[in-house]
């Protein structure tokens, strides 16, 4: 929101500098993103009069001008403009002036043997217009009102500053100059000078308007006012054009400028329809009861003011005349019914629409306008008819027409809505004020006291509230343009604290202050992330909003874009995209992981936190030593990287092959288990995704269920290290070799060996795998090394013979095999 200081000064007394006011507004909640000095581009430029013009002897296009700028001697200036002539008034850039628009500093220079002591400027060179045909000539009538040498800033009304404010969604009043002026009045404690409504017009409550109940809800309103005998050819007054242009809105014609002016001043969007065009559209005279608000029909279209023809649908709300769409409600008007230089009669629309419907319409057609941004933030319907009256007041100053009738869908109630404000509640929440002692010669503590009733009521009155005294405190009535954000008692208390200054109140910290700490689960998650990072992985962060690609996704009711209309049900698709992007950029590897949420639609709506990741290529620095051509990890190498990352949590992860995950290779995928519970999966990407170019190279995907992993890793026997006595006696090792059916997992065999080994069996390791066609396609040879140890003595062969034979018998019986 841009607003000029001169406009603000007409509404509120400003008793401070622009820089100081910018700081106060920013602290108060209206952040000033930039402060623009309007005179910056015209400093050093003054009013001059061309006394004589002589052709340059050495040039056909240049002239030697004698220009009076109010000094004792006229300046000699070389000018190349075709329209320069004697006895005209011009803008003169004196020596030392820097013209920002053309990046030129004016110096005393010699041009083809003749000295030039300045420059006669065009409006383009002043930065006022994009293009100019010749120098700017000031009208004699206007110039004679000023002395020669008067600054261009005064002539062009550029002795002004423009505040560029960032207005947050919770302060819709900041979208109007009146609202900003009221905020300044409250911050500076100065007087407001708002324009008065000179005439009260008849209000016709017309309840037969056909209004969409979704667009015009309880706190909404629709009004139409017929105004005759206007002339759109009339030029907008300079004060109006100046205020619009400094606010970033281009002047179009007088009628459109009035609606834009009310939008800026009051924060209320208005729209003017050309009555004659409406009548031609419907084939008869357009009447107020022809207007309606409805949902657009599929297949309808509307050519709008921006020159775009929009295809409408049922998600878009339109204003219709005799059921023919003439505007997209609250967003943009139609071109075929817009006012132009031939307009002599208008219908002035003033309305408040449901913010949700405006947001839907705006998103559907892909544009956001000054009007739609205000409707989306929310405006009060109690200001709408006053804004219409204000527009009529301005029109009455320039046109002669009879008092129009304002046709409104409802009667605006003047019923007071009071918010109880308790004195004790204010003191409890804000605490005492600290009155600081600035006298350094007196040794005493700062005074502390609660806010007085006078201080409370004065601050509320500064923001326009009406205060009624009660035993418990006050009943407070809020003005309409603050009714969107001041709804509760706590809102009023916040305003009081904001205007007094939060730094004026005493600290109120918990006593004693208890230091916070991370829970075991939080610590475990941090360790898990550290484990991945230490092993060469990079953490990434992707959006949880995705396009609507299948029926299993949870859809958002009011998405900003179609590309972000659903909640994701996986992260691996985004990780493939990241790997593809790295491959295209020439990267040899991409190891990534992400901790995030996925969302399930079936069987019930649920949210699950997972750690997902991808492994592509070989992440190593000593590539100059590697003579191999390939850069891909094998399945077991990639699985080993995941094992190393998880090692930090001291968990034993068991793999079980699976063919049920459709995006992973059916022969190189496993489900991960710990303590008998499923915790995720690991596998190579399915070849079909590579053939379909969804993945550019072979890579590995993994996913871990955070909740299950953290539960297992934070158990007492896992989380707290237990000291074990280092063995003082040697161990005995025995190797056993069997031919197994490939359907049996190594983990199953190891589990059976440990179960049969009792207390003396210390460890079991697979040390050899041998596959030979002589065994048959379904069989394979495994060799295990068994380690035995007794903590109290050195074992003899006789001590382990029975145990070892029992292990062999158990394996032979369960897995239908024989010891080799």
């Amino acid at each position: 929101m841009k607003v000029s200081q001169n406009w603000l000064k007409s509404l509120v007394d400003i008793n401070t500098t622009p820089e100081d006011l910018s700081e106060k507004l920013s602290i108060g909640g209206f952040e000033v993103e930039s402060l623009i000095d309007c005179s910056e581009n015209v400093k050093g430029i003054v009013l001059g009069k061309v006394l004589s013009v002589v052709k340059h002897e050495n040039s056909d296009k240049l002239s030697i001008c004698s220009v009076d700028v109010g000094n004792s001697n006229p300046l000699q200036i070389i000018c190349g403009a075709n329209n320069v002539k004697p006895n005209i008034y011009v803008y003169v850039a004196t020596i030392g002036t820097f013209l920002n628009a053309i990046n030129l500093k004016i110096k005393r220079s010699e041009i083809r043997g003749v000295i030039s002591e300045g420059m006669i400027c065009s409006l383009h060179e002043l930065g006022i217009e994009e293009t100019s045909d010749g120098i700017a000539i000031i009208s004699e009538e206007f110039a004679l009102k000023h002395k020669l040498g008067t600054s261009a800033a005064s002539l062009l009304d550029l002795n002004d500053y423009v505040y560029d404010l960032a207005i947050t969604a919770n302060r819709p009043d900041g979208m109007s100059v009146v609202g900003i002026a009221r905020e300044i009045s409250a911050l500076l404690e100065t007087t407001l000078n708002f324009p008065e409504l000179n005439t009260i017009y008849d209000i016709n409550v017309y309840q037969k308007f056909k209004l969409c109940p979704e667009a015009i809800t309880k706190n909404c309103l629709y009004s139409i006012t017929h105004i005759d005998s206007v002339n759109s050819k009339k030029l907008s007054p300079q004060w109006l054009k100046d205020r619009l242009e400094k606010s970033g809105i281009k002047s179009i014609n007088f009628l459109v400028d009035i609606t834009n002016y009310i939008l800026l001043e009051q924060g209320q969007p208005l729209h003017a329809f050309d009555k004659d065009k409406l009548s031609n559209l419907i084939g008869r005279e357009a009447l107020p009861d022809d207007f309606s608000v409805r949902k657009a029909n599929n297949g309808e279209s509307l050519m709008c003011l921006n020159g775009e023809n929009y295809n409408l649908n049922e998600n878009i709300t339109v204003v219709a005349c005799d059921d023919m769409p003439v505007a997209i409600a609250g967003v943009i008007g139609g071109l075929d019914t817009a006012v132009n230089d031939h307009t002599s009669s208008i219908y002035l629309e003033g309305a408040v629409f449901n913010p949700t419907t405006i947001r839907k319409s705006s998103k559907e057609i892909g544009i956001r306008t000054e009007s739609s941004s205000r409707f989306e933030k929310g405006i009060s319907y109690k200001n709408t008819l006053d804004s219409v009256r204000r527009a009529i007041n301005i029109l009455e100053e320039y046109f002669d027409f009879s008092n129009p009738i304002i046709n409104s869908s409802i009667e605006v109630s003047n019923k007071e809505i009071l918010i109880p404000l308790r004195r004790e509640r204010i003191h409890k929440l804000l605490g005492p004020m600290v009155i600081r002692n600035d006298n350094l010669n007196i040794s005493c503590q700062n005074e502390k006291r609660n806010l007085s009733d006078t201080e409370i009521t004065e601050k509320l009155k500064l923001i326009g509230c009406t205060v009624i005294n009660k035993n418990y405190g006050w009943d407070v009535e809020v003005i309409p343009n603050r009714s969107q954000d001041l709804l509760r008692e706590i809102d009023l208390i916040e305003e009081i604290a904001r205007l007094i200054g939060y730094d004026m109140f005493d600290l109120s910290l918990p006593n004693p202050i208890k230091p916070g700490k991370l829970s075991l689960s939080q610590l475990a998650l941090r360790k898990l992330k550290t484990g991945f990072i230490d092993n060469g992985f990079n953490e990434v962060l992707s959006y949880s909003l995705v396009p609507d690609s299948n029926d299993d996704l949870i859809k958002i009711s009011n998405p900003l874009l179609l590309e972000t209309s659903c909640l994701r049900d996986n992260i691996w698709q985004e990780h493939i995209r990241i790997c593809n992007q790295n491959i295209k950029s020439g990267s040899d590897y991409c190891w990534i992981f992400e901790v995030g949420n996925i969302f399930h639609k079936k069987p019930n709506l649920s949210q699950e936190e997972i750690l997902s990741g991808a492994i592509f290529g070989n992440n190593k620095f000593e590539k100059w030593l590697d003579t191999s051509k390939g850069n891909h990890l094998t399945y077991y190498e990639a699985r080993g990287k995941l094992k190393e990352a998880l090692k930090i949590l001291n968990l034993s992860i068991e793999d079980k092959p699976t063919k049920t995950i459709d995006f992973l290779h059916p022969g190189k995928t496993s489900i991960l288990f710990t303590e008998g519970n499923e915790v995720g999966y690991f596998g190579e990407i399915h070849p079909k995704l590579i053939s379909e170019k969804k993945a550019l190279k072979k890579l590995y995907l993994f996913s871990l269920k955070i909740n299950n992993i953290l539960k297992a890793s934070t158990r007492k026997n896992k989380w707290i290290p237990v000291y074990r006595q280092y063995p003082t006696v040697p161990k005995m090792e025995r190797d056993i070799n069997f031919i197994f059916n490939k359907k049996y997992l190594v983990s199953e065999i190891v589990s059976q060996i440990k179960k049969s080994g009792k207390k003396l069996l210390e460890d079991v390791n697979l040390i050899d795998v041998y596959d030979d066609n002589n065994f048959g396609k379904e069989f394979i040879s495994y060799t295990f090394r068994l380690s035995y140890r007794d903590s109290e003595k050195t074992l003899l062969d006789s001590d382990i013979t029975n145990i070892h034979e029992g292990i062999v018998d158990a394996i032979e019986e369960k897995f239908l095999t024989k010891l080799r």
Side-chain angles (χ1 to χ4, degrees):
M1 175 74 182
K2 292 182 178 179
V3 59
S4 80
Q5 177 160 281
N6 288 345
W7 191 356
L8 289 170
K9 282 183 175 179
S10 69
L11 300 174
V12 61
D13 294 337
I14 298 177
N15 56 10
T16 186
T17 64
E19 292 76 15
D20 183 55
L21 180 57
S22 296
E23 184 178 354
K24 289 182 181 295
L25 284 169
S26 297
I27 294 174
F30 286 169
E31 180 186 356
V32 179
E33 294 186 324
S34 63
L35 178 64
I36 304 167
D37 183 356
C38 297
S39 66
E40 185 66 29
N41 288 340
V42 294
K43 287 182 178 178
I45 298 171
V46 298
L47 173 64
K49 180 180 181 180
V50 180
L51 301 177
S52 64
V53 178
V54 179
K55 280 293 180 181
H56 196 297
E57 294 180 355
N58 299 322
S59 175
D60 295 334
K61 296 183 178 181
L62 298 179
S63 302
I64 304 172
C65 305
S66 178
V67 184
D68 184 1
V69 293
N71 298 334
S72 55
N73 296 317
L75 301 177
Q76 180 174 277
I77 298 175
I78 307 299
C79 182
N82 294 328
N83 60 336
V84 66
K85 57 186 178 180
N87 299 316
I88 61 172
Y89 293 89
V90 293
Y91 296 107
V92 179
T94 57
I95 293 173
T97 300
F98 183 77
L99 299 174
N100 290 315
I102 57 175
N103 194 29
L104 176 66
K105 185 173 183 179
I106 305 302
K107 301 177 182 178
R108 188 176 187 274
S109 58
E110 183 177 324
I111 302 176
R112 298 197 179 187
V114 179
I115 297 298
S116 181
E117 300 173 306
M119 179 177 174
I120 301 175
C121 300
S122 67
L123 292 180
H124 167 66
E125 290 159 343
L126 297 181
I128 295 173
E129 293 184 355
E130 293 184 3
T131 59
S132 295
D133 186 13
I135 60 173
I137 299 177
I138 305 170
S139 70
E140 184 175 357
E141 180 184 357
F142 178 75
L144 290 174
K145 296 177 182 179
H146 303 83
K147 292 182 180 181
L148 293 177
T150 301
S151 69
S154 298
L155 299 174
L156 296 168
D157 195 22
L158 294 177
N159 285 323
D160 196 3
Y161 286 85
V162 172
Y163 299 87
D164 191 356
L165 304 169
I167 306 301
T168 54
N170 66 319
R171 290 295 302 273
D173 59 298
M175 297 295 286
S176 67
V177 181
V178 166
I180 296 168
R182 191 179 294 279
E183 180 72 9
I184 292 172
S185 171
L187 293 172
L188 302 181
E189 299 186 5
T190 54
T191 306
L192 288 168
N193 304 299
F194 286 170
E196 294 183 2
L197 294 177
N198 298 324
T199 308
I200 303 300
Y201 307 99
D202 292 335
I203 306 294
N204 175 35
V205 179
Y206 191 79
Q207 297 180 344
K208 294 184 179 180
F209 280 126
K210 296 178 180 178
L211 303 176
C212 172
E214 183 182 338
I216 306 293
T217 54
K218 180 181 179 182
N219 292 325
C220 297
L221 174 150
Y222 188 80
S223 74
I224 280 289
T225 306
H226 177 222
I227 303 175
D228 224 336
S229 303
V230 295
N231 182 6
S232 193
K233 291 183 179 179
K234 185 176 182 62
L235 296 176
S236 296
Q238 188 58 42
W239 65 267
L240 177 58
K241 293 171 66 176
D242 179 69
R243 291 178 179 181
L244 290 178
E245 288 170 0
K246 288 177 180 176
S247 298
I249 295 180
K250 185 179 179 180
S251 175
I252 299 174
N253 62 53
F254 187 49
L255 296 178
V256 175
D257 288 354
I258 289 296
T259 60
N260 286 334
Y261 180 76
I262 298 300
L263 175 135
L264 293 172
E265 183 189 74
Q266 303 292 331
Q268 170 65 57
L270 302 178
H271 184 71
F273 297 98
D274 187 313
K275 181 185 175 183
D276 294 333
K277 289 184 177 181
L278 288 171
S279 300
N280 290 335
L281 181 68
I282 66 175
R284 58 176 175 80
E285 183 182 2
L287 300 173
D289 56 2
D290 287 323
F291 286 88
S292 62
V293 179
R294 63 172 174 82
K295 290 293 183 182
N297 299 318
N298 291 326
E300 285 184 317
S301 64
L302 181 66
M303 177 66 73
C304 290
L305 291 172
N306 58 359
E308 294 287 337
N309 188 37
Y310 294 105
N311 295 319
L312 308 179
N313 58 55
E314 58 187 9
N315 293 322
I316 299 173
T317 305
V318 297
V319 175
C321 183
D322 196 27
D323 206 40
M324 301 182 69
V326 293
I328 297 177
V331 182
I332 190 170
L335 184 62
D336 294 337
T337 56
V339 298
N340 57 23
D341 292 343
H342 304 291
T343 300
S344 60
S345 179
I346 63 170
Y347 274 113
L348 185 64
E349 175 195 73
V352 173
F353 300 101
N354 181 2
T356 303
T357 61
I358 302 303
R359 191 176 297 113
K360 285 182 179 179
S361 298
S362 180
K363 298 298 182 294
E364 196 71 25
I365 64 174
I367 63 170
R368 197 162 187 258
T369 61
E370 291 284 346
S371 295
S372 67
S373 64
R374 284 165 172 79
F375 282 126
E376 287 178 27
K377 285 184 171 67
I379 57 179
S380 173
Y381 73 98
K382 293 185 177 180
N383 274 340
T384 303
L385 297 186
D386 283 346
S387 297
V388 173
R389 293 187 185 102
R390 172 70 173 143
I392 297 173
N393 284 169
I394 298 175
L395 290 170
E396 279 182 328
E397 295 179 16
Y398 298 92
F399 303 115
D400 184 17
F401 52 81
S402 57
N403 284 350
I405 297 174
I406 302 173
N407 299 282
S408 173
S409 61
I410 62 170
E411 182 178 1
V412 178
S413 172
N414 294 322
K415 181 182 177 181
E416 296 179 344
I417 299 177
L418 302 177
I419 303 174
L421 179 61
R422 294 166 290 175
R423 185 182 295 103
E424 291 182 1
R425 187 64 175 165
I426 296 173
H427 297 330
K428 181 178 180 181
L429 288 178
L430 300 183
M433 286 179 62
V434 178
I435 311 301
R436 292 173 175 81
N437 179 23
D438 295 330
N439 190 344
L440 301 178
N441 297 324
I442 301 176
S443 177
C444 62
Q445 293 183 345
N446 294 328
E447 178 189 350
K448 295 182 181 180
R449 64 170 178 82
N450 286 326
L451 286 173
S452 66
D453 287 3
T454 302
E455 289 171 321
I456 294 171
T457 55
E458 283 181 352
K459 296 304 177 186
L460 292 173
K461 289 176 182 178
L462 282 173
I463 58 174
C465 295
T466 302
V467 180
I468 303 171
N469 290 325
K470 294 291 182 180
N471 292 333
Y472 52 79
W474 305 270
D475 280 347
V476 181
E477 182 184 6
V478 178
I479 58 173
N481 76 333
R482 292 301 303 274
S483 61
Q484 304 297 312
D485 65 300
L486 299 182
L487 303 171
R488 305 164 298 166
E489 179 184 49
I490 190 64
D491 299 328
L492 296 173
I493 296 174
E494 181 185 10
E495 284 295 291
I496 294 167
R498 183 177 67 85
L499 294 174
I500 288 175
Y502 291 108
D503 57 332
M504 296 295 293
F505 293 93
D506 191 21
L507 296 176
S508 180
L509 298 175
N511 187 23
I513 300 175
K514 296 181 179 179
K517 64 178 182 179
L518 298 175
S519 65
L520 292 183
S521 294
Q522 290 170 325
L523 288 171
L525 182 57
R526 289 196 176 187
K527 288 178 68 175
L528 182 59
K529 288 183 177 182
T530 301
F532 276 93
I533 293 170
D534 289 347
N535 282 278
F537 286 81
N538 290 308
E539 185 174 6
V540 297
L541 181 64
S542 59
Y543 289 114
S544 58
L545 298 176
V546 296
D548 186 2
S549 57
N550 60 71
D551 293 335
D552 292 333
L553 297 177
I554 300 172
K555 296 177 176 58
I556 298 173
S557 59
N558 57 339
L560 294 176
L561 300 168
L562 292 176
E563 290 78 10
T564 57
S565 59
C566 297
L567 293 171
R568 66 185 177 190
D569 63 353
N570 70 77
I571 305 180
W572 62 266
Q573 289 180 327
E574 180 64 19
H575 287 179
I576 290 178
R577 189 191 67 79
I578 293 173
C579 288
N580 287 344
Q581 186 175 348
N582 279 267
I583 292 168
K584 289 178 180 179
S585 300
S587 179
D588 293 329
Y589 71 92
C590 181
W591 293 9
I592 57 175
F593 77 96
E594 176 180 355
V595 176
N597 291 314
I598 58 174
F599 306 86
H600 303 292
K601 187 176 183 180
K602 299 176 181 178
N604 297 312
L605 295 180
S606 61
Q607 175 178 315
E608 181 183 16
E609 187 178 23
I610 64 170
L611 186 150
S612 183
I615 301 173
F616 158 71
N618 199 351
N619 179 5
K620 57 184 179 181
F621 294 104
E622 61 278 7
K623 292 180 182 178
W624 60 281
L625 294 175
D626 189 6
T627 58
S628 61
K629 295 183 179 180
N631 188 42
H632 297 293
L633 297 177
T634 66
Y635 175 88
Y636 297 103
E637 288 173 330
R639 177 64 182 88
K641 299 302 178 183
L642 179 60
K643 180 180 179 180
E644 290 175 11
L646 292 172
K647 188 177 180 181
I648 196 170
L649 292 183
N650 193 28
L651 286 179
S652 176
I653 303 292
E654 181 181 341
D655 292 46
K656 291 186 179 181
T658 182
K659 298 181 180 180
T660 59
I661 303 177
D662 57 1
F663 57 88
L664 295 178
H665 195 299
K668 297 181 181 180
T669 302
S670 60
I671 301 294
L672 307 180
F673 289 84
T674 186
E675 298 181 350
N677 297 317
E678 181 182 337
V679 294
Y681 62 77
F682 178 89
E684 181 183 315
I685 193 168
H686 201 292
K688 71 177 181 182
L689 295 181
I690 299 177
S691 62
E692 293 171 358
K693 302 299 183 182
K694 293 180 180 179
L696 300 180
K697 295 287 182 67
K698 182 178 74 173
L699 51 91
Y700 301 92
L701 301 174
F702 60 87
S703 177
L704 302 172
K705 298 180 179 181
I706 291 291
N707 190 44
N708 292 359
I709 288 284
L710 297 185
K711 277 185 178 179
S713 63
T714 54
R715 298 192 199 282
K716 190 173 182 180
N717 62 333
K718 296 284 186 181
W719 187 254
I720 302 175
V722 178
Y723 174 76
R724 292 181 180 179
Q725 181 68 39
Y726 195 84
T728 59
V729 295
K731 63 182 176 181
M732 293 185 68
E733 294 181 337
R734 294 288 185 270
D735 293 347
I736 55 176
N737 176 261
F738 295 90
I739 296 176
F740 293 95
N741 191 306
K742 290 181 179 179
K743 69 179 181 180
Y744 297 118
L745 300 177
V746 171
S747 58
E748 295 180 57
I749 301 169
V750 171
S751 177
Q752 179 61 40
I753 293 173
K754 288 182 177 180
K755 183 178 178 181
S756 306
K758 299 183 180 179
K759 293 183 179 181
L760 293 182
L761 182 63
E762 184 180 70
D763 197 11
V764 180
N765 289 294
L766 176 67
I767 62 171
D768 183 66
V769 178
Y770 183 65
D771 196 356
D772 195 315
N773 291 333
N774 294 327
F775 300 152
K777 291 184 178 181
E778 297 181 356
F779 295 93
I780 192 170
S781 171
Y782 294 139
T783 301
F784 297 93
R785 178 161 291 163
L786 283 58
S787 299
Y788 297 94
R789 193 194 310 265
D790 189 323
S791 60
E792 297 180 356
K793 67 173 184 175
T794 301
L795 292 174
L796 302 175
D797 284 342
S798 58
D799 295 328
I800 66 169
T801 299
N802 292 336
I803 298 175
H804 190 74
E805 290 176 354
I807 292 173
V808 172
D809 292 341
I811 292 175
E812 290 178 340
E813 180 180 352
K814 182 169 183 178
F815 300 105
L816 305 176
T817 184
K818 289 291 184 181
L819 182 68
R820 295 184 68 197

